[in-house]
Amino acid sequence: MSKLVIENENIRATINPLGAELVSLLKLDDNTEYMWDANPEFWGKTSPVLFPIVGGLKNDTYFYGGKEYKLPRHGFARTMNFEVESQTLNSVVFLLKNNPETEKVYPFEFELRLAYTLIDNKLELKYQITNPDSKALLFSIGGHPAFKCPIENVLNYEDYFLEFNENENLNRWPLNSSGLVLNEPSEISKNTNKLLLSKELFHEDALVFKHLKSDCVTLKSQKSPKQLKFEFKNFPYLGIWAAKDADFVCIEPWCGIADSADTNQNLETKEGIISLESKGIFERSFSIEV
């Protein structure tokens, strides 16, 4: 399927129906691209949706209803073709439903919608999960957008920082070599609203935070007026990541988290798992303002 474009007088967004993945966010007045270009030498994605799990499972395995199932890291939605449910000049809604392929690895009925809407200089992405079944739907969901850094090619990666809208004690939950969350956090900084960016910051995988006070973070530099404001309300976890030595930074809002290193692998008791009642609807959204 060909990529879809939505735009208004300020910005243009391009989305690939494969994974309903945002691949470009262009500010029209100065032709500035804000998304990573998915260079496969580093990381060949731009903004995958993480569903029905966020992060990795221990041995890629979970148990539900007395049965064993396998799921890859971040689930399957990012590799599946979504249908276009509706489209206007400045909005589009993508839909993925359970099918025989998903049911082999995930024994639930679901409807997953990703709604992209442009408002002024802002792109909003809304996740909507509907449970059409008579039993509870167990899932996690999250975003993984990768933003170009430096935004301006004349600047360096280290010229940029992330500014939170609240002062934070930034305690990182480390990941082991299998991508599982260890039991003790390590302190990065205390009582600050800034995280200075460097390539070395991500040499030991993602920075994983739990239950921050902030619901907005801005990618900016003192050397340029061009910046990106990222708002994420009601996401209990946040990941910050970049592939080793790559020119991007991911700001990842999550309703869910990777397995802990000592997990019992039971889906029903997994940290961050959401249980959605029969016929229930779950919604979360984040926005990118440039």
Side-chain angles (χ1 to χ4, degrees), residues 13 17 56 77 82 108 127 134 147 188 198-199 208 220 247 283 287:
F82 283 64
F108 297 94
Y127 299 128
S134 56
F147 302 111
I188 293 179
S198 69
K199 299 283 179 73
V208 176
K220 60 200 301 188
D247 285 333
E283 292 183 337
S287 66

Side-chain angles (χ1 to χ4, degrees), residues 6 37 55 60 62 115 127 129 139 200 225 233 240 261 265 275:
I6 56 174
D37 65 4
D60 292 331
Y62 71 93
Y127 299 128
I129 297 104
F139 69 93
E200 293 72 30
K233 292 193 187 329
I240 308 288
Q265 297 174 273
S275 178

Side-chain angles (χ1 to χ4, degrees), residues 175-223:
L175 304 173
N176 69 14
S177 59
S178 302
L180 306 181
V181 182
L182 299 177
N183 290 331
E184 288 295 326
S186 60
E187 186 178 279
I188 293 179
S189 57
K190 286 190 86 154
N191 196 33
T192 179
N193 69 338
K194 286 186 175 62
L195 178 65
L196 303 180
L197 292 182
S198 69
K199 299 283 179 73
E200 293 72 30
L201 193 59
F202 307 109
H203 283 182
E204 295 178 11
D205 211 333
L207 308 184
V208 176
F209 302 114
K210 299 183 182 185
H211 308 295
L212 295 175
K213 293 178 286 183
S214 298
D215 57 17
C216 177
V217 62
T218 304
L219 174 63
K220 60 200 301 188
S221 169
Q222 303 284 17
K223 298 181 179 179

Side-chain angles (χ1 to χ4, degrees), residues 251-286:
I251 306 172
E252 306 178 37
W254 299 336
C255 290
I257 193 168
D259 269 353
S260 61
D262 60 359
T263 177
N264 64 11
Q265 297 174 273
N266 180 352
L267 190 66
E268 291 176 277
T269 57
K270 174 176 165 55
E271 181 181 358
I273 208 74
I274 296 156
S275 178
L276 183 62
E277 72 278 6
S278 173
K279 314 307 177 194
I281 297 174
F282 175 93
E283 292 183 337
R284 287 292 183 275
S285 61
F286 65 80

Side-chain angles (χ1 to χ4, degrees), residues 62 68-71 99-108:
Y62 71 93
E68 177 182 312
Y69 296 91
K70 296 274 188 183
L71 274 178
N99 57 56
E101 188 181 347
T102 69
E103 288 159 9
K104 289 176 193 167
V105 295
Y106 182 64
F108 297 94

Side-chain angles (χ1 to χ4, degrees), residues 18-20 45 48-55 62 70-82 96-99 101-110 112 137-140:
L18 179 62
K45 293 280 189 181
V49 55
L50 316 182
F51 177 89
I53 57 166
V54 169
Y62 71 93
K70 296 274 188 183
L71 274 178
R73 181 177 302 212
H74 297 321
F76 51 68
R78 63 193 179 137
T79 62
M80 305 200 81
N81 281 305
F82 283 64
L96 179 69
K97 295 181 180 181
N98 58 288
N99 57 56
E101 188 181 347
T102 69
E103 288 159 9
K104 289 176 193 167
V105 295
Y106 182 64
F108 297 94
E109 293 182 28
F110 66 88
L112 169 61
L137 169 60
L138 303 181
F139 69 93
S140 294

Side-chain angles (χ1 to χ4, degrees), residues 13-72:
T14 306
I15 305 119
N16 190 344
L18 179 62
E21 182 176 7
L22 175 69
V23 294
S24 172
L25 184 62
L26 193 72
K27 195 159 183 287
L28 295 174
D29 62 355
D30 57 10
N31 207 40
T32 299
E33 175 62 65
Y34 283 84
M35 303 305 294
W36 162 244
D37 65 4
N39 180 345
E41 280 185 46
F42 295 95
W43 187 56
K45 293 280 189 181
T46 304
S47 185
V49 55
L50 316 182
F51 177 89
I53 57 166
V54 169
L57 300 171
K58 188 174 186 176
N59 300 321
D60 292 331
T61 301
Y62 71 93
F63 295 93
Y64 173 77
K67 292 185 179 178
E68 177 182 312
Y69 296 91
K70 296 274 188 183
L71 274 178

